[in-house]
Amino acid sequence: MLLNRRDVLKLFGAGAASLALPHGARAAAAPRLVIVGGGIGGAALAKYMRILNRDIHITVIEPNPRFIFCPGSNEVLNDEVSIDDLTVTYDTLRHRYGAEVIQERAVEIDYAGHHVLTSGGRRVPYDWLAVSPGPQFIYEAVEGYSEALAQGDFPHAWKAGPQTLRLKKLYQSMRPGGVVVISAPPMPYRCPPAPYERASFMAAWLKRHNPTAKILILDSKPDFIFQANYEDYWRDKFGYGTDHAMIEWVGSHEGGTVRQLDPAAHTVITADGERIRADVINIIPPEKAGRFAFDTGLTLGRDWVPVNPYDFRSRKDPNVFVLGDAAEADPMVKTGYVASNQAKWIAQIIHGEMTGRDPGNPLWTNNCVAMAGDDYGMTVTDTYRYHGGKIVTQETLIANPSHNPHLNALRASIARNWQRSFRRDIFE
Amino acid sequence: MKKTLTGLMICVLCLPAGHAGETTPSIREWTPAAWYETMRLKPAGDATRGARLAKVGYCYTCHGDQGVAPSRNAPSLAAQNETYLYKTLLDFRSRLWWADHKDDGMHALARTFTKQDLADLAAYYATRKLPTIRKVKKGDVHTEKLVRFGDPSRLVTSCAACHGAHGEGGVNEVPRIEGQSYLYLKRQLTLFKEGRRHNDVGAGMRFVTEALSEDELDRLARYYANGQK
Ligand SMILES: Cc1cc2nc3c(=O)[nH]c(=O)nc-3n(C[C@H](O)[C@H](O)[C@H](O)COP(=O)(O)OP(=O)(O)OC[C@H]3O[C@@H](n4cnc5c(N)ncnc54)[C@H](O)[C@@H]3O)c2cc1C
């Protein structure tokens, strides 16, 4: 059921009279926003909802006591950044933004009764529910690969944390002249330039410590974002395209798609049936919406959650918003920046519903950065509009490949600044 | 035996690789001797070449056209002391000047230039003109005294003794301070006082600011900003 204006006024109870009550008493009657997932989308929503509205009761359900940012996690592989630098707690959300954070997993939605059920057996009531569980990995897409292997000697490291450190250890302790295979997934997946950034950072380290090592990128796509920029840089630094190349890239049109993993033989098998043995195998599996979205029927038989493109209400139930990587929001890309922009917009929608104010026409932006090295950065900005019942890309501004070393270096410092200020925007 | 050999092999491969890579610049503070030697070896700057480098180096995006800062986010470079410009660029390049993340852009850029380039950039900006700012009201008596006479009881030399009667800059690397924004000047004085900016030769500015209170630094920044926020 959607709240209309009158319901909202009722929710505020005796209206003016309640303003005189102490905050705690008023909070009991306040409308409730419950957020499943305290990642980038969920945390941004909690913060910006509070900034817009001081009365709403906000609850975040998130099983982990800390969040580790993925943006910046490739730099961990190159010793530039530590996992600690990327780790935040929920203290600021709790204390500065007055959100209740329940450290449990959400397991079910009672749509009719407006409750979320948690792993600890709680029933958390909501007026609006927002779901931002991120993606899950489709291990089955690569025969022989599994979550257990990912947690062992074949980390995907596509969620920053122990796997990132494991991958770092594996490739840094490789024998001289060893080979790293990175299997890049098909679209859509979170942060499209990140596999190539990862390869570049590893190469920079290997060039210094294991100069005869090789990195082979086996791609399930025929091309990738910033391809010309990366190839320029690789030619310049890593002999790309020559017999002594440290980085090689094989697109899907040349048989790059990885179909199978033989863990015992440390070998991947490509679509062409070619067997490639490697010292370190980093398979980044294809993705679909997080498990919670499937378990609760939000996906309606699809891989990602269908949403109303204007306000991100799920097709399944308009009182349930879905945002972040889990939402099917083409042509938006799956980045943290987009997740945070969706969150800011959903806060306006809810605030609008509470106050009877029309939130107007949304302008969403994606503002993404990538690096090829500490002297080479890239930036892309997309703006999106709601038009004719759809989300449309309004404009894309992308850093063209440049041979100006000053500009490339300046872009790298912009990329670093982006990461720092983005973390602060979401969690401070 | 075989194992030991493999171990050795690894080391042999590793050593030259470690050297081939970037070496972390040594960020030792300036001793007067090291600085005088650097000044003596400074290449002569070519302002015409510097103008071109300022363009391809994107300096104008933060420091403004002709080095006149368009905002308070970065200092003006126009009419700045040439030796000082050269020195601070070296300090960004070596990361000796690394107060906080505001310096990231300067670190990234300075590394992409040679010493000759830096000298050319310095020559270019030193010869640009700063617009004349209308003089606003004088400072209070106490600030005026610090500027002109210092405070011998606290061993504080007057600012004017080094920076010139109007803050226009002095000998060697002593910079122009008149004409910058209040925000920039206050930031630098605070950074020196806290020791987070420590690229000053012989800790000169750190010594001066250490003795002064935050309030005094605030007034001095306003005094030299001359009405500019
Ligand atoms: C290597 C790498 C680099 C990246 N770099 C960038 C970048 O530079 N810029 C950028 O914009 N993006 C980047 N991204 C992408 C970015 O991390 C994601 O797009 C972003 O995190 C999506 O936000 P989200 O809220 O959808 O999911 P997440 O941030 O993943 O958050 C999901 C949260 O939901 C929680 N959760 C899941 N299920 C449940 C449940 N049942 N109950 C309760 N909680 C649950 C999880 O624990 C998690 O905390 C990068 C990603 C990777 C892998």
Side-chain angles (χ1 to χ4, degrees), chain A residues 176 208 404 406-407 409 413 417 420, chain B residues 13 17-18 21 56 101 104 112-113:
Chain A
R208 274 177 281 141
N404 178 342
H406 318 299
L407 178 60
S413 75
N417 253 306
R420 200 173 16 243
Chain B
L13 280 170
V56 297
H101 70 84
D104 278 5
T112 61
F113 293 102

Side-chain angles (χ1 to χ4, degrees), chain A residues 175-177 206-212 374-375 404-407 409-410 412-413 416-417 420 424, chain B residues 10 13-14 16-18 20-22 53 56-58 61 95 101 104-105 108-109 111-113 117:
Chain A
R175 72 184 163 93
L206 290 169
K207 192 173 169 180
R208 274 177 281 141
H209 302 284
N210 188 349
T212 54
D374 59 359
D375 56 353
N404 178 342
H406 318 299
L407 178 60
L410 193 56
S413 75
R416 277 208 203 84
N417 253 306
R420 200 173 16 243
R424 295 184 57 181
Chain B
I10 297 176
L13 280 170
C14 287
E22 295 170 290
L53 291 172
V56 297
Y58 287 81
T61 52
R95 304 198 173 185
H101 70 84
D104 278 5
L109 273 173
R111 270 180 31 176
T112 61
F113 293 102
D117 294 340

Side-chain angles (χ1 to χ4, degrees), chain B residues 76-114:
Chain B
S76 286
L77 305 177
Q80 184 53 283
N81 170 340
E82 184 171 342
T83 310
Y84 174 77
L85 288 169
Y86 177 70
K87 175 178 178 294
T88 48
L89 287 167
L90 286 180
D91 292 344
F92 283 123
R93 202 170 71 157
S94 70
R95 304 198 173 185
L96 176 59
W97 180 345
W98 188 345
D100 55 36
H101 70 84
K102 255 203 104 145
D103 307 326
D104 278 5
M106 287 308 304
H107 291 159
L109 273 173
R111 270 180 31 176
T112 61
F113 293 102
T114 62

Side-chain angles (χ1 to χ4, degrees), chain A residues 366-415:
Chain A
N366 174 42
N367 199 331
C368 220
V369 297
M371 279 185 265
D374 59 359
D375 56 353
Y376 194 102
M378 289 152 270
T379 55
V380 57
T381 303
D382 306 285
T383 54
Y384 306 99
R385 285 289 195 182
Y386 176 72
H387 187 75
K390 291 198 303 256
I391 300 169
V392 293
T393 305
Q394 183 182 41
E395 201 176 354
T396 295
L397 277 176
I398 188 158
N400 288 319
S402 165
H403 291 280
N404 178 342
H406 318 299
L407 178 60
N408 291 332
L410 193 56
R411 282 172 175 167
S413 75
I414 290 169

Side-chain angles (χ1 to χ4, degrees), chain A residues 17-152:
Chain A
S18 71
L19 285 174
L21 293 174
H23 197 81
R26 190 153 33 96
R32 293 173 161 271
L33 166 64
V34 174
I35 301 167
V36 171
I40 292 176
L45 178 55
K47 170 176 168 178
Y48 280 89
M49 190 72 242
R50 172 61 71 233
I51 288 174
L52 276 181
N53 193 294
R54 59 190 285 265
D55 295 311
I56 191 168
H57 190 279
I58 302 169
T59 305
V60 178
I61 305 177
E62 163 65 52
N64 301 303
R66 275 173 290 277
F67 181 73
I68 306 175
F69 271 81
C70 286
S73 65
N74 280 329
E75 282 83 333
V76 172
L77 299 172
N78 197 11
D79 303 318
E80 241 197 73
V81 163
S82 74
I83 287 280
D84 283 350
D85 295 334
L86 304 176
T87 305
V88 288
T89 67
Y90 291 95
D91 290 350
T92 311
L93 277 191
R94 280 199 179 96
H95 304 308
R96 185 175 299 165
Y97 300 109
E100 179 191 1
V101 182
I102 299 180
Q103 200 191 311
E104 286 178 34
R105 179 169 291 279
V107 291
E108 211 182 308
I109 303 173
D110 171 358
Y111 291 99
H114 284 205
H115 281 85
V116 180
L117 279 73
T118 69
S119 50
R122 294 204 213 191
R123 287 173 61 82
V124 187
Y126 66 82
D127 294 300
W128 300 276
L129 176 64
V131 176
S132 193
Q136 65 174 304
F137 300 101
I138 311 176
Y139 295 100
E140 316 84 79
V142 177
E143 199 187 325
Y145 195 37
S146 66
E147 187 164 0
L149 287 172
Q151 284 164 0

